[in-house]
Amino acid sequence: MDIPLVLDEDRLFPSDARERSIARELYDSVKGLPIISPHGHTDPAWFADNECFPNPTELLIKPDHYVFRMLYSQGVELSDLGLKNRANPDAAQVDPRDAWRLFAEHYYLFRATPSRTWLDYVFKNVFSLDSVLSSDTADHYYDTIEKALGQDEYRPRQLFERFNIEVLATTESPLDDLAHHRKIMESDWQGRVITAFRSDNVVDPEHDGFNDNVDSLGKLTSEDVSNFKGYLNALRQRREFFKQHGATSSDHGHPTPATADLSEAEAAKLYQTVRSGGCTRAEAELFRAQMLTEMAKMSIDDGLVMQIHPGSYRNHNQSLFENFGRDKGADIPLRAEFVENLRPLLSRLGNSKDLEIILFTLDETNYSREIAPLVGHYPSLKAGPAWWFHDSPEGMKRFREQMTETAGFYNTVGFNDDTRAFLSIPARHDVARRCDCAYLAGLVNTGRLSLGDAQEVAVDLTYNLAKKAYHL
């Protein structure tokens, strides 16, 4: 039986009639603003080559770890969704239609999740589908989407323009040649797709392939990475290369927000230890901590905004990691501590107005206790939005409620979608706009904010803050 796919025009707005009316008025004033997407993980090759997306499975399932982590939790094998098993590379390819049918059969699992909200938005607004995805409608969905993807208006650049994206940042390793970004820059297309400098694979001794990656960094830059000075010079050189390809930010996905302020001699000695391949976990953590401080020094020099994304136990499922690789939905949030961990860096550099650091957390207990007081004091700090596991309506509400009383709105940076799933970008931004307008409506309704102020704040949260924070 087909169930109608209906998107309530007032979804995510308050149930109180007056607040709902205010939220609707605020949302109407921002819903058409361009999308600023300053941090994410979409594939720049899509926009460089502008080739048609091959099929619904490749577009909507394979890039989206939110989707397959839920399916995997219910016993669906990743290989049955078409993901390649490194342990069995010769296995027969899965028919993408069969993978889609499997997804559709389990679509009920996503009820009341953010993924369901985003996907229904895409199905309704991008592909004009009018019934809920299920086993009964799986083939209709597949055929409709596949037919659309063959049309020019569904190519990546055309969708980028249709979504009203003003700027979109991808994230690349220092070892990336940025050929796709160069191709975009040299084309006659006016869309702005920039890169961000993600250094984890050359600064984390526990990252798979760390030593080989550092050796590659040395060859790429012609710097002598056998010593710490040459290693830092190589990183500076690559940061400049990234800036030439549009980068305005760096990104650091460390397990913790630990920082250190070692002497030059101590740091050089530690570098030799981690390069020997025999460092302890404590030494690896100390090196990562020192490198956050080193990156902050470089940020003061070159102006890249520094994003710190700590608190995730990456690839928690070792078997899954060995068979399918990174970013397969097995990352789990960790407790995080910021006050003591950031103190070495902030004691050295935190009062500099030339340093800009955006803090993210997966530990919501940090919001009012640590993050808000820190960003509400240090001129170098801003708070990133509710992130990853918490970029849900409930998570966004918790973020605003706990951050605003101490940090206000203007020590935050608006919204970023942080997604690999291109088509979810307008859906995610729509949710953020609705949730912020709902929160502001509550402040207006209780007399804590005038409607005029709320209208200005709504525009700032939607557009201005991200643009300013990321130098866009």
Side-chain angles (χ1 to χ4, degrees):
M1 181 181 69
D2 290 359
I3 301 173
L5 176 56
V6 178
L7 300 183
D8 188 332
E9 289 296 322
D10 288 335
R11 60 191 179 278
L12 305 179
F13 291 162
S15 56
D16 176 84
R18 183 167 184 265
E19 278 190 28
R20 175 169 288 209
S21 176
I22 297 168
R24 188 185 304 121
E25 181 177 352
L26 293 172
Y27 173 73
D28 285 344
S29 71
V30 299
K31 65 181 180 182
L33 290 175
I35 289 174
I36 303 293
S37 180
H39 173 74
H41 304 277
T42 52
D43 188 345
W46 294 339
F47 310 105
D49 300 333
N50 203 33
E51 295 179 351
C52 292
F53 292 107
N55 59 65
T57 297
E58 291 287 340
L59 175 61
L60 294 165
I61 298 178
K62 284 190 176 181
D64 197 341
H65 58 168
Y66 285 82
V67 169
F68 47 77
R69 77 183 308 272
M70 175 66 84
L71 299 177
Y72 185 79
S73 76
Q74 289 287 312
V76 176
E77 295 294 337
L78 297 188
S79 55
D80 290 337
L81 295 170
L83 277 70
K84 293 182 179 179
N85 188 332
R86 298 189 300 190
N88 188 16
D90 298 325
Q93 292 285 329
V94 172
D95 186 320
R97 184 181 290 271
D98 289 339
W100 183 265
R101 287 169 175 164
L102 187 61
F103 168 51
E105 178 186 340
H106 292 85
Y107 194 57
Y108 69 93
L109 297 173
F110 296 94
R111 289 169 177 161
T113 67
S115 292
R116 175 65 180 265
T117 301
W118 303 328
L119 285 164
D120 280 353
Y121 180 102
V122 171
F123 296 150
K124 183 75 172 180
N125 291 333
V126 180
F127 296 107
S128 301
L129 289 155
D130 55 11
S131 57
V132 172
L133 178 62
S134 66
S135 296
D136 293 336
T137 61
D139 284 337
H140 171 63
Y141 259 73
Y142 193 93
D143 293 338
T144 300
I145 297 173
E146 186 175 50
K147 181 179 179 181
L149 295 180
Q151 301 171 18
D152 284 343
E153 56 264 40
Y154 284 87
R155 291 178 184 270
R157 292 182 181 181
Q158 282 70 26
L159 287 172
F160 185 102
E161 294 167 2
R162 174 178 169 183
F163 295 160
N164 197 21
I165 299 174
E166 182 173 313
V167 59
L168 183 149
T170 64
T171 309
E172 276 72 45
S173 148
L175 305 181
D176 197 294
D177 63 9
L178 302 185
H180 299 306
H181 290 86
R182 185 163 57 254
K183 186 174 181 180
I184 294 168
M185 293 172 69
E186 292 173 353
S187 73
D188 58 3
W189 182 51
Q190 298 304 305
R192 188 178 179 192
V193 178
I194 62 176
T195 184
F197 183 80
R198 178 70 173 248
S199 58
D200 297 354
N201 65 343
V202 294
V203 301
D204 183 356
E206 294 182 315
H207 197 288
D208 47 304
F210 168 73
N211 265 325
D212 289 341
N213 292 338
V214 175
D215 289 339
S216 297
L217 178 68
K219 293 176 182 176
L220 192 60
T221 58
S222 299
E223 294 284 352
D224 181 7
V225 294
S226 67
N227 63 78
F228 191 54
K229 183 178 180 180
Y231 168 69
L232 293 182
N233 285 338
L235 288 169
R236 289 189 188 97
Q237 188 182 138
R238 294 307 288 172
R239 288 169 66 101
E240 182 58 33
F241 178 74
F242 270 60
K243 284 186 66 178
Q244 293 168 7
H245 288 76
T248 66
S249 67
S250 65
D251 185 28
H252 310 274
H254 292 203
T256 76
T259 65
D261 188 16
L262 302 178
S263 69
E264 190 174 325
E266 290 171 327
K269 181 179 179 181
L270 179 60
Y271 177 71
Q272 295 301 328
T273 300
V274 300
R275 286 284 274 150
S276 72
C279 70
T280 64
R281 296 194 70 178
E283 289 168 331
E285 174 73 340
L286 181 59
F287 185 74
R288 288 190 296 263
Q290 179 63 27
M291 288 310 299
L292 279 182
T293 303
E294 298 293 345
M295 289 295 180
K297 295 176 188 175
M298 294 182 197
S299 287
I300 290 175
D301 292 336
D302 63 26
L304 291 184
V305 178
M306 189 174 181
Q307 300 172 95
I308 303 179
H309 282 90
S312 177
Y313 193 120
R314 307 274 175 174
N315 310 303
H316 191 273
N317 187 329
Q318 184 64 25
S319 174
L320 204 72
F321 171 66
E322 291 171 356
N323 289 328
F324 292 94
R326 307 178 70 84
D327 305 317
K328 296 300 181 290
D331 299 342
I332 308 296
L334 289 164
R335 290 185 297 272
E337 192 282 330
F338 286 81
V339 176
E340 291 294 339
N341 273 327
L342 289 178
R343 195 164 188 271
L345 186 158
L346 294 175
S347 295
R348 177 75 177 271
L349 305 168
N351 295 305
S352 171
K353 294 180 181 179
D354 295 324
L355 176 62
E356 297 178 59
I357 300 175
I358 301 173
L359 301 177
F360 294 79
T361 184
L362 292 178
D363 183 353
E364 291 183 307
T365 67
N366 294 135
Y367 286 160
S368 60
R369 187 184 66 245
E370 299 180 34
I371 301 291
L374 283 166
V375 305
H377 171 72
Y378 283 95
S380 58
L381 297 181
K382 292 287 186 290
W387 167 50
W388 198 343
F389 289 88
H390 308 306
D391 61 353
S392 61
E394 292 80 9
M396 292 175 187
K397 181 180 180 182
R398 290 191 295 267
F399 176 85
R400 290 287 173 218
E401 288 177 339
Q402 295 184 60
M403 292 292 297
T404 305
E405 62 183 0
T406 301
F409 294 113
Y410 294 90
N411 284 309
T412 66
V413 300
F415 177 69
N416 64 56
D417 47 78
D418 191 25
T419 186
R420 290 176 171 81
F422 175 42
L423 267 61
S424 76
I425 289 176
R428 290 167 185 255
H429 283 262
D430 184 68
V431 168
R433 294 174 188 195
R434 289 174 178 275
C435 289
D436 280 337
C437 290
Y439 177 72
L440 292 169
L443 298 181
V444 173
N445 195 36
T446 54
R448 298 174 61 194
L449 198 66
S450 71
L451 181 59
D453 281 348
Q455 289 170 331
E456 287 189 14
V457 172
V459 173
D460 289 335
L461 295 180
T462 298
Y463 183 77
N464 292 327
L465 290 182
K467 194 167 184 175
K468 180 181 179 181
Y470 284 89
H471 300 174
L472 298 172

